[in-house]
Amino acid sequence: MIIFPAIDLKAGNVVRLAEGDMDRATIYGDDPGEQAARFAEAGANWLHVVDLDGAFAGAPVNAHAVEAILRRFPGKVQLGGGIRTREGAERWLELGVARVVIGTAALKDPELVKALAKDHPGRVVVAVDARDGMVATEGWASVSDLPVEDLARRFEDAGVAALLFTDIGRDGLLKGCNVEATLVLAKAQSLPVIASGGVAGIEDIRALAPHAQDGIEGVITGRALYDGRLDMAEALREARE
């Protein structure tokens, strides 16, 4: 199981939000490239990066910060936030991003996502962000009437690398990962699922790791790492066992 340390970007800073609320941001640093280097030194092979301003604006806003991360992190970077066009996605893939995460466009323009996944197999992740089981979009500011499983099934045969499932009600609150809902989604369709939202400590990693065989590819963790509640080396160890 992959451990994805998270770097969320707001106005060039490294932040974490509570429940996706831009007004409830905690700033953890002003040098995203340095933070990426620290995660690499701690053993991370992957990073999950989100342009939060971009998610709300519908286009990249923190491009310079992302480029700094790409320069400093020797592993693979998964990037989301404001990627809603073919040109935008392909620009990042050409610059060295390993996988782009597409959320709003997956709901509003599924054919775009399918075409991208066909042309770039294994490099497109579909974000399935849920509030009370329904898909949320526009930086989580809007909630649709589409169940998460229905959105996921639309992309099963499209060449998508994985689904990124976030329980918004837990994100950034250290409430514990919603293992049950993540498992339900993993078993409801054939794509690998990345868990996100609410990781509070090593117990969440221990709860998820045995389900790698059920289709849970990895887990994203942010606030728990920044607050010192989760040790990167220990998390990596548990994920390998």
Side-chain angles (χ1 to χ4, degrees):
M1 190 177 75
I2 301 168
I3 303 294
F4 294 86
I7 297 182
D8 289 0
L9 302 167
K10 181 174 186 277
N13 293 316
V14 178
V15 307
R16 294 301 291 167
L17 304 185
E19 297 183 274
D21 187 342
M22 288 289 266
D23 293 327
R24 295 161 67 196
T26 303
I27 296 175
Y28 284 100
D30 59 4
D31 189 338
E34 177 60 27
Q35 183 60 63
R38 283 202 292 267
F39 280 139
E41 288 165 10
N45 295 312
W46 279 88
L47 273 187
H48 179 74
V49 179
V50 181
D51 180 350
L52 293 171
D53 300 299
F56 284 87
V61 175
N62 288 286
H64 290 304
V66 176
E67 288 163 8
I69 289 168
L70 289 170
R71 285 193 298 271
R72 299 288 302 276
F73 188 73
K76 295 178 181 178
V77 173
Q78 177 172 282
L79 173 68
I83 302 173
R84 297 180 195 170
T85 65
R86 171 182 278 275
E87 296 75 26
E90 290 183 334
R91 176 180 177 273
W92 285 120
L93 292 174
E94 287 165 9
L95 283 173
V97 167
R99 302 203 296 202
V100 290
V101 181
I102 300 179
T104 297
L107 180 64
K108 298 195 169 182
D109 191 358
E111 293 311 310
L112 164 69
V113 179
K114 290 177 181 179
L116 264 175
K118 181 171 180 268
D119 293 342
H120 304 278
R123 300 189 72 187
V124 176
V125 173
V126 171
V128 185
D129 302 328
R131 197 182 287 280
D132 300 323
M134 297 298 174
V135 174
T137 62
E138 313 290 348
W140 300 347
S142 174
V143 180
S144 73
D145 57 2
L146 182 71
V148 292
E149 290 87 355
D150 289 2
L151 177 65
R153 290 190 191 103
R154 291 180 183 180
F155 299 100
E156 273 188 292
D157 302 315
V160 167
L163 301 172
L164 168 54
F165 174 68
T166 302
D167 183 338
I168 298 169
R170 297 183 185 223
D171 194 63
L173 296 183
L174 302 167
K175 287 182 174 179
C177 189
N178 192 337
V179 178
E180 184 179 349
T182 307
L183 260 179
V184 167
L185 179 60
K187 291 179 177 179
Q189 48 74 57
S190 59
L191 292 167
V193 175
I194 301 166
S196 178
V199 171
I202 197 65
E203 292 305 322
D204 288 301
I205 310 301
R206 287 179 182 143
L208 285 164
H211 296 293
Q213 62 193 20
D214 297 315
I216 295 182
E217 178 190 84
V219 57
I220 293 167
T221 174
R223 190 179 291 270
L225 286 172
Y226 292 109
D227 285 351
R229 298 165 190 262
L230 179 64
D231 177 72
M232 188 72 196
E234 189 180 12
L236 289 166
R237 232 178 1 256
E238 286 290 339
R240 281 194 293 265
E241 290 177 359

